[in-house]
Amino acid sequence: MKTEKKYKLTVRLNEEDYRKLKYQSDNLEKNKTETIRELIRKGIYTDIKEFNLNLKELLLIKRSIANSLNQISKKLNNSSLEEFKKIEKDLDKLWQSLNQ
């Protein structure tokens, strides 16, 4: 269902902004006007804000994983072969319990 378009908007862009708009239009396989309409309708500001919040959460998780990996590495580097085998058995038990 087509709606009547009453308003005309003229926008002037610098070369970089124009290239970005053209790139997005090509990726969406739409003309530049349709691309701008879609960006307006989707409320891109809200999407970007949500994306940034998710990104912050992912960075916190990444830091936590990196810290844990670092601690494991230190423990393994300072452990004897017997301690390593015990850790390996404990990890196997943990893995088996997670797979049940």
Side-chain angles (χ1 to χ4, degrees):
M1 180 169 119
K2 287 193 173 187
T3 58
E4 182 183 354
K5 295 172 183 82
K6 297 180 186 179
Y7 305 100
K8 180 179 179 179
L9 176 66
T10 303
V11 178
R12 294 188 181 271
L13 302 172
N14 63 29
E15 191 173 332
E16 182 182 347
D17 290 342
Y18 181 79
R19 279 197 309 253
K20 288 178 183 179
L21 177 60
K22 184 171 179 352
Y23 176 79
Q24 290 296 331
S25 298
D26 292 344
N27 281 342
L28 294 171
E29 297 178 352
K30 297 184 177 206
N31 66 40
K32 290 180 240 1
T33 302
E34 290 171 331
T35 301
I36 291 171
R37 281 191 194 112
E38 189 161 325
L39 292 173
I40 292 168
R41 289 178 184 142
K42 283 191 170 185
I44 194 162
Y45 175 77
T46 305
D47 292 344
I48 290 172
K49 192 173 181 180
E50 185 177 329
F51 175 79
N52 285 337
L53 290 174
N54 290 335
L55 186 59
K56 285 180 184 179
E57 186 176 338
L58 287 173
L59 287 173
L60 289 173
I61 292 169
K62 178 188 158 242
R63 286 183 188 133
S64 176
I65 291 170
N67 187 35
S68 297
L69 185 59
N70 213 10
Q71 290 176 3
I72 291 169
S73 297
K74 284 182 182 179
K75 180 79 172 170
L76 290 176
N77 286 331
N78 295 329
S79 299
S80 65
L81 184 58
E82 293 83 27
E83 289 179 38
F84 178 73
K85 288 182 180 181
K86 182 183 179 308
I87 291 170
E88 186 178 29
K89 286 180 186 177
D90 290 343
L91 285 173
D92 284 340
K93 287 179 188 176
L94 177 61
W95 186 251
Q96 289 172 3
S97 69
L98 289 173
N99 285 329
Q100 291 178 354

XYZ file of all heavy atoms in Angstrom:
849
model
N 0.840 -1.168 0.000
C 0.000 0.000 0.000
C 0.891 1.239 0.000
O 1.684 1.453 0.908
C -0.886 -0.030 1.243
C -1.800 1.131 1.368
S -2.989 0.835 2.677
C -2.615 2.168 3.752
N 0.782 2.024 -1.017
C 1.582 3.235 -1.117
C 0.888 4.382 -0.397
O -0.321 4.538 -0.479
C 1.811 3.609 -2.573
C 2.784 2.707 -3.272
C 3.202 3.310 -4.579
C 4.310 2.478 -5.172
N 4.866 3.101 -6.352
N 1.690 5.162 0.299
C 1.147 6.349 0.951
C 1.591 7.576 0.168
O 2.648 7.585 -0.471
C 1.645 6.462 2.401
O 3.072 6.497 2.385
C 1.171 5.296 3.246
N 0.775 8.597 0.239
C 1.087 9.824 -0.479
C 2.270 10.510 0.184
O 2.343 10.628 1.404
C -0.127 10.756 -0.461
C 0.081 12.024 -1.222
C -1.100 12.966 -1.121
O -2.130 12.576 -0.548
O -0.980 14.099 -1.602
N 3.177 10.952 -0.619
C 4.358 11.653 -0.116
C 4.161 13.142 -0.368
O 4.235 13.607 -1.493
C 5.608 11.106 -0.795
C 5.839 9.643 -0.433
C 6.955 9.041 -1.249
C 7.107 7.599 -0.918
N 6.185 6.724 -1.606
N 3.909 13.881 0.714
C 3.593 15.301 0.604
C 4.828 16.200 0.701
O 4.798 17.325 0.252
C 2.650 15.718 1.727
C 1.310 15.060 1.706
C 0.507 15.587 2.886
C -0.801 14.852 3.016
N -1.585 15.337 4.163
N 5.869 15.715 1.328
C 6.982 16.586 1.654
C 8.226 16.208 0.863
O 8.533 15.042 0.680
C 7.302 16.507 3.152
C 6.096 16.807 3.997
C 5.354 15.772 4.565
C 5.691 18.113 4.211
C 4.237 16.041 5.333
C 4.566 18.388 4.978
C 3.850 17.348 5.535
O 2.741 17.615 6.290
N 8.933 17.229 0.428
C 10.177 17.030 -0.297
C 11.297 17.603 0.566
O 11.168 18.693 1.130
C 10.142 17.733 -1.652
C 11.405 17.549 -2.438
C 11.315 18.245 -3.782
C 12.621 18.065 -4.541
N 12.568 18.695 -5.841
N 12.383 16.874 0.654
C 13.507 17.291 1.478
C 14.763 17.290 0.613
O 15.032 16.329 -0.105
C 13.687 16.308 2.647
C 14.859 16.529 3.567
C 14.696 17.842 4.335
C 14.959 15.372 4.546
N 15.504 18.350 0.689
C 16.775 18.432 -0.024
C 17.883 18.414 1.014
O 17.845 19.177 1.983
C 16.863 19.725 -0.851
O 15.760 19.764 -1.749
C 18.159 19.795 -1.617
N 18.835 17.531 0.804
C 19.935 17.392 1.760
C 21.255 17.549 1.020
O 21.439 16.970 -0.050
C 19.891 15.998 2.436
C 21.045 15.816 3.394
C 18.572 15.786 3.129
N 22.135 18.318 1.587
C 23.469 18.458 1.009
C 24.442 17.668 1.885
O 24.450 17.820 3.099
C 23.885 19.925 0.950
C 23.031 20.717 -0.008
C 23.599 22.117 -0.175
N 22.771 22.879 -1.081
C 22.942 22.912 -2.403
N 23.914 22.230 -2.946
N 22.144 23.632 -3.155
N 25.245 16.846 1.223
C 26.197 16.004 1.939
C 27.612 16.285 1.468
O 27.823 16.607 0.301
C 25.887 14.520 1.687
C 24.495 14.028 2.074
C 24.299 12.594 1.587
C 24.276 14.119 3.567
N 28.559 16.114 2.376
C 29.944 16.186 1.917
C 30.287 14.856 1.236
O 29.490 13.910 1.250
C 30.912 16.521 3.065
C 30.932 15.454 4.152
O 30.697 14.283 3.893
N 31.221 15.880 5.368
N 31.439 14.782 0.645
C 31.795 13.616 -0.163
C 31.803 12.324 0.658
O 31.310 11.284 0.221
C 33.169 13.831 -0.809
C 33.489 12.788 -1.859
C 34.768 13.107 -2.619
O 35.122 14.296 -2.744
O 35.390 12.153 -3.082
N 32.342 12.396 1.868
C 32.419 11.202 2.712
C 31.024 10.687 3.089
O 30.745 9.496 3.003
C 33.225 11.506 3.978
C 33.376 10.289 4.879
C 34.131 10.603 6.157
O 34.744 11.689 6.248
O 34.098 9.763 7.053
N 30.137 11.595 3.502
C 28.774 11.193 3.858
C 28.040 10.614 2.655
O 27.295 9.650 2.768
C 27.995 12.382 4.433
C 28.493 12.790 5.808
O 29.180 11.973 6.466
O 28.186 13.918 6.231
N 28.270 11.223 1.495
C 27.623 10.718 0.279
C 28.100 9.305 -0.040
O 27.306 8.433 -0.393
C 27.898 11.650 -0.902
C 27.223 11.181 -2.171
C 25.863 11.417 -2.372
C 27.926 10.470 -3.133
C 25.227 10.960 -3.515
C 27.301 10.009 -4.278
C 25.948 10.251 -4.470
O 25.316 9.794 -5.595
N 29.398 9.072 0.083
C 29.940 7.717 -0.163
C 29.336 6.700 0.805
O 29.012 5.582 0.419
C 31.460 7.724 -0.046
C 32.170 8.210 -1.290
C 33.642 7.824 -1.281
N 34.301 8.195 -0.051
C 35.172 9.188 0.093
N 35.503 9.904 -0.953
N 35.708 9.457 1.250
N 29.176 7.099 2.061
C 28.575 6.199 3.052
C 27.126 5.882 2.689
O 26.688 4.731 2.790
C 28.650 6.811 4.460
C 30.039 6.821 5.032
C 30.059 7.488 6.401
C 31.459 7.566 6.959
N 31.495 8.222 8.278
N 26.397 6.906 2.295
C 25.002 6.697 1.897
C 24.923 5.792 0.672
O 24.121 4.863 0.625
C 24.319 8.039 1.610
C 22.881 7.957 1.106
C 21.974 7.267 2.118
C 22.371 9.352 0.781
N 25.782 6.027 -0.285
C 25.805 5.199 -1.499
C 26.159 3.756 -1.160
O 25.543 2.810 -1.648
C 26.778 5.769 -2.524
C 26.779 5.001 -3.833
C 27.571 5.702 -4.887
C 27.629 4.987 -6.207
N 27.108 3.675 -6.329
N 27.141 3.579 -0.283
C 27.565 2.235 0.138
C 26.402 1.494 0.809
O 26.119 0.338 0.493
C 28.758 2.354 1.092
C 29.221 1.040 1.661
C 30.011 0.178 0.915
C 28.872 0.667 2.965
C 30.433 -1.030 1.436
C 29.291 -0.539 3.493
C 30.071 -1.382 2.726
O 30.480 -2.576 3.249
N 25.708 2.182 1.728
C 24.562 1.566 2.406
C 23.449 1.240 1.414
O 22.831 0.180 1.485
C 24.019 2.486 3.508
C 24.926 2.627 4.705
C 25.108 1.331 5.450
O 24.239 0.470 5.452
N 26.254 1.167 6.070
N 23.200 2.134 0.501
C 22.160 1.919 -0.507
C 22.488 0.700 -1.364
O 21.619 -0.132 -1.637
C 22.020 3.141 -1.410
O 21.644 4.256 -0.672
N 23.730 0.604 -1.781
C 24.147 -0.545 -2.596
C 23.999 -1.842 -1.818
O 23.540 -2.858 -2.348
C 25.590 -0.376 -3.076
C 25.747 0.763 -4.077
O 24.721 1.228 -4.626
O 26.895 1.194 -4.297
N 24.382 -1.823 -0.548
C 24.270 -3.042 0.282
C 22.819 -3.453 0.494
O 22.506 -4.643 0.550
C 24.948 -2.844 1.632
C 26.442 -2.985 1.543
O 26.976 -3.546 0.595
N 27.139 -2.464 2.528
N 21.946 -2.477 0.651
C 20.523 -2.767 0.858
C 19.784 -3.008 -0.454
O 18.610 -3.379 -0.453
C 19.851 -1.608 1.606
C 20.300 -1.380 3.039
C 19.712 -0.075 3.579
C 19.901 -2.550 3.926
N 20.487 -2.764 -1.553
C 19.890 -2.880 -2.885
C 18.651 -1.987 -3.017
O 17.596 -2.396 -3.497
C 19.563 -4.338 -3.220
C 20.805 -5.219 -3.269
C 20.504 -6.669 -3.557
O 19.321 -7.060 -3.586
O 21.471 -7.418 -3.750
N 18.806 -0.750 -2.536
C 17.742 0.257 -2.612
C 18.348 1.551 -3.113
O 19.561 1.748 -3.030
C 17.126 0.490 -1.237
C 16.443 -0.747 -0.679
C 15.759 -0.466 0.632
C 15.058 -1.733 1.074
N 13.946 -1.488 1.905
N 17.496 2.443 -3.594
C 18.042 3.744 -3.982
C 18.277 4.578 -2.726
O 17.879 4.215 -1.621
C 17.149 4.446 -5.015
C 15.795 4.821 -4.470
O 15.669 5.271 -3.337
N 14.764 4.643 -5.284
N 18.934 5.701 -2.901
C 19.328 6.512 -1.739
C 18.115 7.032 -0.960
O 18.124 7.066 0.268
C 20.230 7.655 -2.204
C 21.605 7.174 -2.674
C 22.444 8.329 -3.130
C 22.914 8.341 -4.536
N 22.627 7.351 -5.494
N 17.066 7.414 -1.659
C 15.861 7.909 -0.987
C 15.233 6.817 -0.132
O 14.872 7.054 1.025
C 14.845 8.420 -2.039
O 15.460 9.452 -2.812
C 13.596 8.959 -1.373
N 15.120 5.619 -0.682
C 14.551 4.500 0.093
C 15.435 4.153 1.289
O 14.936 3.803 2.360
C 14.384 3.275 -0.807
C 13.296 3.439 -1.844
C 13.303 2.309 -2.869
O 14.384 1.733 -3.146
O 12.227 2.012 -3.408
N 16.726 4.266 1.108
C 17.655 3.992 2.216
C 17.438 4.985 3.349
O 17.363 4.607 4.515
C 19.111 4.065 1.720
O 19.292 3.107 0.675
C 20.088 3.774 2.833
N 17.314 6.264 3.014
C 17.086 7.286 4.044
C 15.757 7.036 4.745
O 15.663 7.122 5.971
C 17.147 8.701 3.429
C 18.587 9.009 3.009
C 16.635 9.748 4.416
C 18.751 10.271 2.195
N 14.716 6.706 3.979
C 13.415 6.406 4.601
C 13.532 5.244 5.582
O 12.966 5.274 6.678
C 12.384 6.060 3.523
C 11.815 7.236 2.818
C 10.620 6.832 1.965
N 10.315 7.906 1.051
C 10.466 7.847 -0.271
N 10.866 6.747 -0.854
N 10.175 8.894 -1.018
N 14.253 4.212 5.169
C 14.394 3.042 6.041
C 15.147 3.392 7.318
O 14.785 2.943 8.405
C 15.105 1.914 5.291
C 15.079 0.618 6.071
C 15.352 -0.596 5.211
O 14.947 -0.615 4.043
O 15.970 -1.521 5.745
N 16.195 4.200 7.202
C 16.937 4.624 8.394
C 16.052 5.411 9.349
O 16.117 5.243 10.570
C 18.160 5.455 7.993
C 19.274 4.698 7.270
C 20.333 5.674 6.772
C 19.886 3.660 8.171
N 15.200 6.266 8.797
C 14.279 7.051 9.632
C 13.273 6.134 10.311
O 13.011 6.244 11.509
C 13.565 8.134 8.790
C 14.565 9.194 8.342
C 12.411 8.754 9.557
C 14.039 10.136 7.280
N 12.694 5.225 9.564
C 11.651 4.339 10.104
C 12.186 3.379 11.156
O 11.480 3.039 12.099
C 11.007 3.548 8.969
C 10.150 4.411 8.074
C 9.563 3.626 6.943
N 8.823 4.520 6.051
C 8.809 4.409 4.741
N 9.467 3.434 4.138
N 8.133 5.268 4.019
N 13.398 2.933 10.978
C 13.957 1.961 11.923
C 14.423 2.606 13.217
O 14.737 1.905 14.165
C 15.125 1.202 11.290
C 14.681 0.148 10.329
C 15.836 -0.722 9.943
C 15.336 -1.917 9.188
N 16.386 -2.862 8.891
N 14.479 3.906 13.275
C 14.938 4.571 14.494
C 16.364 4.179 14.809
O 16.645 3.596 15.831
N 17.259 4.465 13.900
C 18.635 4.002 13.998
C 19.310 4.450 15.296
O 20.155 3.748 15.825
C 19.439 4.419 12.761
C 20.745 3.651 12.703
C 19.692 5.897 12.734
C 21.391 3.677 11.345
N 18.930 5.595 15.859
C 19.536 6.044 17.109
C 19.314 5.030 18.214
O 20.223 4.695 18.961
C 18.973 7.416 17.513
C 19.485 7.867 18.858
C 20.774 8.371 18.982
C 18.696 7.761 19.996
C 21.265 8.772 20.209
C 19.180 8.162 21.230
C 20.463 8.662 21.330
O 20.946 9.042 22.542
N 18.089 4.504 18.304
C 17.769 3.496 19.316
C 18.586 2.235 19.077
O 19.109 1.637 20.017
C 16.264 3.162 19.278
O 15.537 4.377 19.434
C 15.879 2.206 20.379
N 18.722 1.822 17.819
C 19.509 0.635 17.497
C 20.963 0.820 17.905
O 21.578 -0.087 18.456
C 19.434 0.323 16.000
C 18.054 -0.137 15.565
O 17.245 -0.502 16.449
O 17.786 -0.134 14.361
N 21.523 2.002 17.641
C 22.922 2.263 17.980
C 23.106 2.272 19.501
O 24.064 1.714 20.027
C 23.394 3.592 17.357
C 23.483 3.436 15.840
C 24.722 4.044 17.937
C 23.742 4.724 15.102
N 22.158 2.881 20.203
C 22.237 2.939 21.662
C 22.207 1.520 22.252
O 23.009 1.181 23.114
C 21.071 3.771 22.201
C 21.180 4.156 23.641
C 20.057 5.106 24.017
C 20.155 5.530 25.449
N 19.083 6.435 25.828
N 21.301 0.690 21.753
C 21.205 -0.697 22.215
C 22.475 -1.472 21.862
O 22.993 -2.241 22.668
C 19.987 -1.371 21.585
C 19.750 -2.777 22.094
C 18.491 -3.394 21.497
O 17.537 -2.662 21.204
O 18.495 -4.614 21.319
N 22.984 -1.254 20.666
C 24.220 -1.911 20.239
C 25.376 -1.560 21.175
O 26.149 -2.426 21.583
C 24.563 -1.515 18.797
C 25.879 -2.043 18.322
C 25.992 -3.361 17.911
C 26.999 -1.226 18.282
C 27.206 -3.860 17.466
C 28.212 -1.711 17.841
C 28.321 -3.036 17.427
N 25.498 -0.272 21.535
C 26.576 0.157 22.427
C 26.460 -0.484 23.803
O 27.466 -0.862 24.400
C 26.597 1.675 22.539
C 27.163 2.330 21.305
O 27.905 1.726 20.555
N 26.798 3.577 21.075
N 25.231 -0.617 24.316
C 25.046 -1.280 25.611
C 25.469 -2.740 25.528
O 26.145 -3.255 26.423
C 23.588 -1.177 26.063
C 23.109 0.210 26.480
C 21.606 0.194 26.753
C 23.860 0.681 27.715
N 25.071 -3.411 24.452
C 25.461 -4.809 24.273
C 26.969 -4.946 24.118
O 27.576 -5.894 24.623
C 24.746 -5.428 23.060
C 23.271 -5.611 23.306
O 22.824 -5.732 24.435
N 22.492 -5.631 22.235
N 27.578 -3.998 23.423
C 29.015 -4.028 23.222
C 29.751 -3.885 24.554
O 30.726 -4.595 24.815
C 29.432 -2.915 22.259
C 30.884 -2.894 21.822
C 31.255 -4.196 21.127
C 31.129 -1.716 20.889
N 29.274 -2.993 25.414
C 29.888 -2.830 26.733
C 29.803 -4.126 27.529
O 30.769 -4.532 28.182
C 29.207 -1.695 27.507
C 29.585 -0.321 27.035
C 28.882 0.754 27.837
C 29.195 2.130 27.290
N 28.507 3.196 28.025
N 28.645 -4.784 27.477
C 28.466 -6.045 28.194
C 29.408 -7.112 27.642
O 30.037 -7.857 28.399
C 27.022 -6.514 28.083
C 26.720 -7.732 28.923
C 25.257 -8.126 28.875
O 24.410 -7.287 28.552
O 24.971 -9.301 29.162
N 29.543 -7.176 26.333
C 30.450 -8.149 25.716
C 31.905 -7.892 26.108
O 32.671 -8.826 26.334
C 30.306 -8.132 24.194
C 29.033 -8.751 23.643
C 28.933 -8.505 22.140
C 28.985 -10.238 23.934
N 32.278 -6.619 26.201
C 33.645 -6.292 26.607
C 33.913 -6.730 28.048
O 34.998 -7.227 28.357
C 33.905 -4.796 26.443
C 34.056 -4.315 25.008
C 34.132 -2.790 24.949
C 35.271 -4.927 24.346
N 32.927 -6.568 28.918
C 33.085 -7.028 30.301
C 33.249 -8.547 30.360
O 34.093 -9.064 31.091
C 31.887 -6.592 31.149
C 31.781 -5.116 31.470
C 30.465 -4.806 32.178
C 32.954 -4.678 32.335
N 32.449 -9.251 29.577
C 32.548 -10.717 29.526
C 33.906 -11.123 28.979
O 34.555 -12.040 29.500
C 31.398 -11.310 28.686
C 30.065 -11.096 29.411
C 31.621 -12.785 28.399
C 28.844 -11.400 28.566
N 34.359 -10.435 27.925
C 35.667 -10.749 27.333
C 36.779 -10.562 28.358
O 37.679 -11.393 28.473
C 35.908 -9.854 26.122
C 37.244 -10.060 25.468
C 37.490 -8.994 24.405
C 38.959 -8.872 24.155
N 39.525 -7.605 24.443
N 36.723 -9.479 29.121
C 37.743 -9.234 30.141
C 37.722 -10.328 31.197
O 38.768 -10.785 31.654
C 37.524 -7.876 30.793
C 37.906 -6.722 29.919
C 37.738 -5.394 30.639
N 37.928 -4.299 29.714
C 37.126 -3.260 29.609
N 36.089 -3.136 30.395
N 37.383 -2.304 28.732
N 36.539 -10.752 31.584
C 36.409 -11.806 32.579
C 37.007 -13.115 32.069
O 37.730 -13.808 32.788
C 34.931 -11.996 32.928
O 34.767 -13.063 33.811
N 36.706 -13.452 30.821
C 37.251 -14.678 30.224
C 38.769 -14.583 30.119
O 39.491 -15.542 30.441
C 36.613 -14.935 28.844
C 35.143 -15.313 29.023
C 37.357 -16.024 28.087
C 34.355 -15.360 27.730
N 39.270 -13.438 29.683
C 40.716 -13.254 29.554
C 41.399 -13.383 30.911
O 42.459 -14.010 31.024
C 41.027 -11.899 28.921
N 40.780 -12.823 31.940
C 41.338 -12.917 33.289
C 41.363 -14.369 33.755
O 42.375 -14.835 34.295
C 40.515 -12.054 34.251
C 41.137 -11.971 35.618
O 42.355 -11.960 35.749
N 40.307 -11.911 36.641
N 40.269 -15.096 33.528
C 40.214 -16.502 33.924
C 41.264 -17.314 33.178
O 41.950 -18.165 33.765
C 38.829 -17.088 33.652
O 37.863 -16.438 34.427
N 41.400 -17.077 31.891
C 42.395 -17.784 31.088
C 43.799 -17.490 31.582
O 44.654 -18.382 31.662
C 42.249 -17.392 29.612
C 43.121 -18.123 28.626
C 42.875 -19.624 28.680
C 42.864 -17.608 27.221
N 44.029 -16.251 31.949
C 45.335 -15.862 32.487
C 45.627 -16.601 33.786
O 46.746 -17.091 34.005
C 45.348 -14.347 32.715
C 46.702 -13.750 32.489
O 47.606 -14.389 32.003
N 46.837 -12.478 32.863
N 44.638 -16.690 34.647
C 44.813 -17.404 35.915
C 45.083 -18.888 35.687
O 45.932 -19.480 36.349
C 43.584 -17.215 36.805
C 43.439 -15.811 37.336
C 42.159 -15.615 38.138
O 41.400 -16.542 38.346
N 41.916 -14.392 38.574
N 44.366 -19.482 34.727
C 44.593 -20.893 34.395
C 46.013 -21.088 33.871
O 46.711 -22.034 34.258
C 43.549 -21.395 33.372
C 42.170 -21.458 34.024
C 43.943 -22.743 32.794
C 41.026 -21.674 33.036
N 46.451 -20.191 33.004
C 47.800 -20.286 32.447
C 48.860 -20.208 33.543
O 49.809 -20.990 33.557
C 48.043 -19.169 31.431
O 47.183 -19.292 30.351
N 48.692 -19.255 34.451
C 49.646 -19.133 35.559
C 49.668 -20.394 36.403
O 50.725 -20.888 36.785
C 49.284 -17.933 36.434
C 49.645 -16.607 35.839
C 49.289 -15.474 36.791
C 49.608 -14.129 36.187
N 49.241 -13.020 37.080
N 48.490 -20.925 36.695
C 48.390 -22.136 37.512
C 49.081 -23.307 36.815
O 49.842 -24.053 37.442
C 46.916 -22.450 37.782
C 46.665 -23.669 38.599
C 46.892 -23.408 40.062
C 46.428 -24.630 40.855
N 46.828 -24.562 42.227
N 48.828 -23.460 35.523
C 49.430 -24.571 34.778
C 50.942 -24.418 34.672
O 51.674 -25.407 34.750
C 48.810 -24.688 33.389
C 47.371 -25.180 33.352
C 46.834 -25.154 31.934
C 47.257 -26.582 33.931
N 51.415 -23.194 34.491
C 52.856 -22.963 34.382
C 53.581 -23.219 35.695
O 54.764 -23.547 35.695
C 53.145 -21.545 33.895
C 52.839 -21.380 32.431
O 52.932 -22.325 31.663
N 52.468 -20.174 32.041
N 52.886 -23.083 36.805
C 53.494 -23.295 38.118
C 53.161 -24.660 38.709
O 53.499 -24.933 39.851
C 53.033 -22.200 39.090
C 53.535 -20.833 38.677
O 54.593 -20.708 38.095
N 52.753 -19.808 38.962
N 52.514 -25.514 37.940
C 52.063 -26.810 38.458
C 52.962 -27.933 37.965
O 53.594 -27.853 36.917
C 50.628 -27.101 37.997
O 49.753 -26.125 38.487
N 52.940 -29.000 38.741
C 53.663 -30.202 38.322
C 52.760 -31.026 37.415
O 51.574 -30.746 37.249
C 54.060 -31.021 39.555
O 52.896 -31.496 40.201
N 53.304 -32.072 36.830
C 52.550 -32.927 35.920
C 51.385 -33.597 36.645
O 50.293 -33.724 36.090
C 53.485 -33.983 35.306
C 52.877 -34.895 34.264
C 52.317 -34.083 33.105
C 53.894 -35.897 33.762
N 51.582 -33.983 37.902
C 50.509 -34.623 38.671
C 49.343 -33.658 38.890
O 48.178 -34.037 38.770
C 51.021 -35.118 40.039
C 52.015 -36.250 39.970
C 53.432 -35.758 39.703
O 53.757 -34.604 40.069
O 54.179 -36.526 39.094
N 49.658 -32.416 39.203
C 48.605 -31.419 39.395
C 47.854 -31.169 38.089
O 46.631 -31.018 38.087
C 49.207 -30.102 39.904
C 49.700 -30.165 41.330
C 50.312 -28.856 41.782
O 49.802 -27.783 41.407
O 51.315 -28.918 42.512
N 48.602 -31.155 36.978
C 47.972 -30.956 35.671
C 47.004 -32.097 35.374
O 45.883 -31.866 34.909
C 49.040 -30.870 34.574
C 48.466 -30.703 33.209
C 47.911 -29.498 32.811
C 48.449 -31.768 32.320
C 47.360 -29.342 31.554
C 47.909 -31.624 31.061
C 47.361 -30.411 30.675
N 47.400 -33.334 35.660
C 46.528 -34.488 35.414
C 45.281 -34.414 36.292
O 44.191 -34.759 35.855
C 47.284 -35.796 35.637
C 48.286 -36.071 34.540
C 49.004 -37.383 34.747
C 50.002 -37.604 33.606
N 50.716 -38.850 33.729
N 45.446 -33.961 37.543
C 44.289 -33.820 38.425
C 43.326 -32.760 37.870
O 42.111 -32.965 37.832
C 44.733 -33.429 39.836
C 43.584 -33.317 40.816
C 44.073 -32.860 42.169
C 42.951 -32.715 43.164
N 41.838 -31.916 42.748
N 43.871 -31.648 37.418
C 43.032 -30.593 36.825
C 42.319 -31.131 35.595
O 41.131 -30.866 35.379
C 43.890 -29.355 36.479
C 44.378 -28.670 37.756
C 43.099 -28.363 35.624
C 45.412 -27.586 37.530
N 43.029 -31.902 34.776
C 42.430 -32.476 33.571
C 41.272 -33.405 33.933
O 40.203 -33.358 33.301
C 43.498 -33.238 32.778
C 43.023 -33.744 31.441
C 44.131 -34.440 30.667
O 45.053 -35.014 31.286
O 44.054 -34.391 29.429
N 41.436 -34.229 34.964
C 40.351 -35.117 35.407
C 39.158 -34.304 35.909
O 38.004 -34.622 35.606
C 40.846 -36.058 36.516
C 41.729 -37.163 36.024
C 42.188 -38.042 37.175
C 43.195 -39.057 36.688
N 43.707 -39.881 37.787
N 39.442 -33.248 36.678
C 38.361 -32.400 37.182
C 37.607 -31.728 36.039
O 36.375 -31.632 36.053
C 38.911 -31.332 38.143
C 39.398 -31.919 39.456
O 39.033 -33.080 39.763
O 40.143 -31.219 40.166
N 38.343 -31.281 35.041
C 37.701 -30.663 33.885
C 36.863 -31.676 33.108
O 35.776 -31.360 32.627
C 38.739 -30.030 32.958
C 39.355 -28.715 33.444
C 40.487 -28.284 32.525
C 38.311 -27.628 33.544
N 37.353 -32.913 32.992
C 36.580 -33.972 32.328
C 35.276 -34.242 33.072
O 34.213 -34.382 32.464
C 37.394 -35.266 32.219
C 38.460 -35.204 31.133
O 38.331 -34.344 30.236
O 39.405 -36.004 31.193
N 35.360 -34.313 34.413
C 34.144 -34.528 35.211
C 33.160 -33.377 35.020
O 31.956 -33.590 34.872
C 34.507 -34.655 36.696
C 35.166 -35.947 37.065
C 35.513 -35.954 38.553
C 36.340 -37.157 38.920
N 36.772 -37.131 40.335
N 33.687 -32.161 35.032
C 32.838 -30.993 34.839
C 32.178 -31.039 33.466
O 30.980 -30.796 33.331
C 33.665 -29.712 34.987
C 32.944 -28.389 34.748
C 31.813 -28.210 35.748
C 33.909 -27.227 34.831
N 32.932 -31.362 32.444
C 32.403 -31.434 31.083
C 31.308 -32.496 30.980
O 30.277 -32.287 30.356
C 33.545 -31.722 30.108
C 33.103 -31.679 28.679
C 32.982 -32.738 27.843
C 32.714 -30.543 27.925
N 32.552 -32.328 26.614
C 32.369 -30.980 26.630
C 32.619 -29.189 28.199
C 31.944 -30.125 25.641
C 32.186 -28.344 27.207
C 31.854 -28.810 25.945
N 31.544 -33.642 31.605
C 30.546 -34.724 31.583
C 29.263 -34.294 32.298
O 28.165 -34.586 31.831
C 31.120 -35.990 32.215
C 32.170 -36.664 31.363
C 32.874 -37.812 32.077
O 32.538 -38.139 33.215
N 33.853 -38.414 31.416
N 29.404 -33.610 33.409
C 28.210 -33.165 34.124
C 27.423 -32.129 33.322
O 26.207 -32.074 33.375
C 28.568 -32.612 35.502
O 29.268 -31.395 35.380
N 28.138 -31.314 32.549
C 27.454 -30.318 31.710
C 26.751 -30.982 30.527
O 25.736 -30.466 30.035
C 28.460 -29.291 31.177
C 29.020 -28.319 32.208
C 30.128 -27.478 31.583
C 27.943 -27.426 32.774
N 27.243 -32.108 30.064
C 26.656 -32.781 28.912
C 25.460 -33.669 29.283
O 24.808 -34.205 28.412
C 27.705 -33.616 28.180
C 28.646 -32.759 27.380
O 28.264 -31.703 26.887
N 29.883 -33.192 27.256
N 25.191 -33.829 30.558
C 24.061 -34.685 30.975
C 22.756 -33.984 30.879
O 22.497 -32.901 30.912
C 24.267 -35.190 32.393
C 25.406 -36.173 32.479
C 25.661 -36.642 33.901
O 25.063 -36.150 34.852
N 26.545 -37.597 34.040
